[in-house]
Amino acid sequence: MQSHQRVFVAGHRGLAGSAIMRALRSRGYANLVTRNRAELNLLDRAAVSEFFRQQRPDHVFLAAAKVGGILANKDHPAGFLLENLAIQNNVIEAAHECGVRKLLFLGSSCIYPRDCPQPIREEYLLSGKLEATNEAYAIAKIAGLKLCAAYNRQHGTDFLCAMPTNLYGPGDNYDLRSSHVLPALIRKFHEARERNQSKVVVWGTGAPLREFLYSDDLGEALVFLMQQCKAEQTGEAINVGTGEDISILELARRISELVGFRGELEFDAEKPDGTPRKLLDVSRIHALGWHHRVSLEEGLRQTYSAYQQSLLAACAA
Ligand code: GDP
């Protein structure tokens, strides 16, 4: 990928997409093509085809997806399955039709079987049953990964698939019904401190383990893969993570401390725990030459600081 080439980032406003944009800009890529939802509906196959015919990107990052936390996934499986299949089918097919050199499709660590050995190696894909709370999303992502592999085999394309672990960072979704755990806890602890509340409710038992990757680390990893690697080196999927995980209880304690909340934690066992653990084996991407940089401590500080700034900006507006 040369700096003069045209790069389309689908989903450029999301947590992953905005980090890809920052990583590309910091490396001097100036020929970046983006479209917001009002300008291009990725669910509309004809509109996506027409956009590719007009814009002719050389490289595509497919970071657009319908995403959400455990409850949103559990309660709206049809939307997660249908929308993700449509977005990825439309973009991947149009990219092939227009002769895109290279495409990078973003999956998720939830594509792996619920009870597979830990840390999770790429080859455990499809070796067992999926976690029920995010099965629909995972099935869509597995279909995207297989579609890329099928194009590579049948048409000789170079479509890569990266499987990131749970992401977090500035600009995340803080809506408590649809967000992931980390932004949800930042908001809950912050509001509890502001309102002098004595307790914060954490969903589930606190026992599940999760691995968290800072969004800028993901952006760096994806640009690295696009620049340096071919699909035949990465295999059908390549894990992107830190290789370290933490329990939800410990995460809650750390966020509580960072925010300065002095009350109690209460666990709501009515809410699902989800998969007990999904720690990625990241030896394949390490061997290719990429390693994460931002520690959880540093990433949490940056994320909380961005959250506080966004509240100030919203007050000023
Ligand atoms: P998952 O990794 O797909 O399970 O997605 P989440 O990030 O939504 O949830 C991770 C874990 O955090 C699950 O065990 C949740 O039950 C737990 N959790 C604890 N409190 C919260 C919360 O306020 N919001 C969310 N989304 N998850 C929470």
Side-chain angles (χ1 to χ4, degrees):
M1 184 169 65
Q2 315 282 313
S3 57
H4 66 274
Q5 286 178 320
R6 232 167 145 62
V7 184
F8 172 45
V9 181
H12 72 289
R13 287 181 162 176
L15 193 56
S18 57
I20 296 169
M21 294 294 288
R22 290 191 291 277
L24 286 168
R25 288 200 178 108
S26 73
R27 282 171 179 71
Y29 289 92
N31 203 352
L32 304 179
V33 184
T34 59
R35 289 292 183 275
N36 63 33
R37 224 167 267 200
E39 294 163 337
L40 175 63
N41 179 4
L42 294 173
L43 298 169
D44 179 342
R45 189 184 202 99
V48 174
S49 271
E50 181 57 24
F51 163 79
F52 269 83
R53 272 197 295 275
Q54 281 176 9
Q55 295 298 322
R56 301 253 153 218
D58 299 296
H59 291 80
V60 174
F61 287 89
L62 179 37
K66 180 176 171 65
V67 296
I70 190 163
L71 221 54
N73 269 278
K74 185 172 157 286
D75 294 344
H76 305 283
F80 280 89
L81 185 54
L82 268 179
E83 284 192 32
N84 285 311
L85 285 173
I87 292 170
Q88 68 207 31
N89 287 348
N90 292 345
V91 173
I92 294 169
E93 188 184 10
H96 167 63
E97 275 168 8
C98 286
V100 165
R101 293 159 201 251
K102 209 165 173 180
L103 175 144
L104 197 154
F105 172 65
L106 230 64
S108 159
S109 60
C110 69
I111 61 160
Y112 293 111
R114 180 181 203 266
D115 297 318
C116 67
Q118 308 281 324
I120 306 172
R121 298 171 64 87
E122 286 87 350
E123 48 273 26
Y124 300 159
L125 180 69
L126 294 176
S127 63
K129 278 190 189 277
L130 296 166
E131 155 62 28
T133 50
N134 51 29
E135 189 184 44
Y137 180 77
I139 291 278
K141 291 294 182 180
I142 294 170
L145 176 161
K146 289 291 177 188
L147 185 60
C148 289
Y151 270 112
N152 291 345
R153 205 164 42 244
Q154 193 177 329
H155 298 290
T157 48
D158 193 10
F159 291 175
L160 282 76
C161 299
M163 299 301 132
T165 184
N166 290 34
L167 264 194
Y168 73 104
D172 208 338
N173 168 19
Y174 287 91
D175 176 330
L176 295 179
R177 284 157 311 168
S178 59
S179 65
H180 285 101
V181 60
L182 197 149
L185 292 183
I186 286 184
R187 177 170 175 179
K188 285 181 181 177
F189 283 112
H190 177 85
E191 290 181 352
R193 193 204 63 201
E194 295 285 287
R195 296 169 189 169
N196 276 322
Q197 288 166 351
S198 59
K199 63 171 195 197
V200 160
V201 176
V202 178
W203 295 355
T205 60
L209 294 156
R210 292 290 183 273
E211 176 184 5
F212 295 98
L213 179 69
Y214 191 61
S215 54
D216 279 331
D217 271 335
L218 177 71
E220 296 291 321
L222 300 181
V223 172
F224 164 84
L225 288 170
M226 190 68 115
Q227 284 179 322
Q228 315 272 338
C229 302
K230 289 192 157 296
E232 61 204 32
Q233 291 169 279
T234 60
E236 277 190 354
I238 185 158
N239 292 340
V240 187
T242 64
E244 293 154 24
D245 60 5
I246 175 175
S247 72
I248 298 301
L249 168 62
E250 179 57 21
L251 177 74
R253 284 193 181 133
R254 289 206 199 172
I255 295 177
S256 159
E257 196 180 313
L258 174 71
V259 168
F261 171 74
R262 310 237 175 273
E264 303 282 313
L265 302 184
E266 185 180 290
F267 290 90
D268 176 2
E270 297 289 303
K271 296 283 192 306
D273 265 348
T275 192
R277 192 177 192 195
K278 46 176 170 176
L279 178 65
L280 291 178
D281 182 317
V282 282
S283 39
R284 193 179 285 178
I285 196 165
H286 283 177
L288 288 168
W290 179 84
H291 203 286
H292 79 284
R293 292 215 182 111
V294 182
S295 66
L296 182 59
E297 195 188 355
E298 176 58 20
L300 282 177
R301 257 204 308 273
Q302 300 279 356
T303 306
Y304 183 48
S305 154
Y307 175 70
Q308 287 174 299
Q309 279 164 23
S310 72
L311 294 181
L312 288 175
C315 277

